[in-house]
Amino acid sequence: MSERRVHGFTCSPDRLWGLVGSGQDPAEVLGDAARDAVADLDHHLRRSGSGLTTAGLARDVLAGRPAEEHADDLARLLVPVLASVGAPAGDPGVIWLQDTMFLDWEPVLEELGLGALAASWGVADVAWPWPRGTRPRAHWPVVTELAPGAPAAVAAEFGRQTASGEPRWSEMLAGLDDDAFVDDDGDPVDDPEDVREELAEHLDRLAGWVAGTPEGCSLFLVTDGDL
């Protein structure tokens, strides 16, 4: 089955961009907390036949010389880097997209009163390791930053309750018509009930992620997997 994964991390953006050109030792930056993520990225790089390694990519970034031809894999480097210098957004710190992989999330989130999340979900707006605020160089994966203050705004939307004390978004999701669930091409999804159930699980996890993002930190979302 095709699937995508969304890794969530919290980190100070100044700490993250401060690594670029810092001259630090890759072995120190990619510590024990990043061991599994380093192994996963090295496995991907071996299968791609690129000849690259996680340590080599990190060395280039820390030396301040990232290569644009490696932009996609440098975006993937964010997972082990953030695992080391940041913190997982939750436990677990990953969301697996299967039935919702090709769902057009934005109109559904708008319907649920989650407009702040709708404006950010799936938006590629992180240029790291190039200067913050410049255009992202990577095509895939997609890296999204909810900058300091934004997670709290999303958390406030998730926190709205019904008169019975239930999350408002959850009650609205249960009542959405099946035709609200369409794919990126605007076609109806194959099984709207499976999509509804999976989406409820993902949104519940995202609610925890934004609520748990420390003040002054960004929430970074790295979406990778099948195109």
Side-chain angles (χ1 to χ4, degrees), residues 10-19 128 132 145-148 216-220:
T10 62
C11 186
S12 160
D14 291 341
R15 172 77 173 105
L16 179 61
W17 266 272
L19 294 172
W128 190 93
R132 194 172 184 220
E145 179 187 7
L146 275 67
C217 286
S218 294
L219 173 62
F220 292 94

Side-chain angles (χ1 to χ4, degrees), residues 65-156:
R65 52 171 192 266
E68 288 206 19
E69 62 264 33
H70 301 149
D72 285 4
D73 288 323
L74 286 166
R76 292 187 175 94
L77 180 65
L78 272 169
V79 175
V81 167
L82 286 168
S84 184
V85 304
D91 184 13
V94 65
I95 291 171
W96 293 94
L97 307 179
Q98 293 181 333
D99 292 309
T100 57
M101 187 170 85
F102 297 116
L103 176 69
D104 186 356
W105 283 52
E106 184 176 354
V108 177
L109 295 175
E110 291 282 4
E111 287 278 354
L112 302 181
L114 301 174
L117 180 59
S120 296
W121 183 259
V123 175
D125 60 6
V126 175
W128 190 93
W130 289 275
R132 194 172 184 220
T134 62
R135 63 172 180 83
R137 275 62 163 183
H139 168 67
W140 188 256
V142 169
V143 186
T144 304
E145 179 187 7
L146 275 67
V154 177

Side-chain angles (χ1 to χ4, degrees), residues 199-221:
L199 184 59
E201 294 175 1
H202 296 339
L203 291 178
D204 188 58
R205 185 164 298 171
L206 283 165
W209 287 5
V210 293
T213 301
E215 186 176 354
C217 286
S218 294
L219 173 62
F220 292 94
L221 304 174

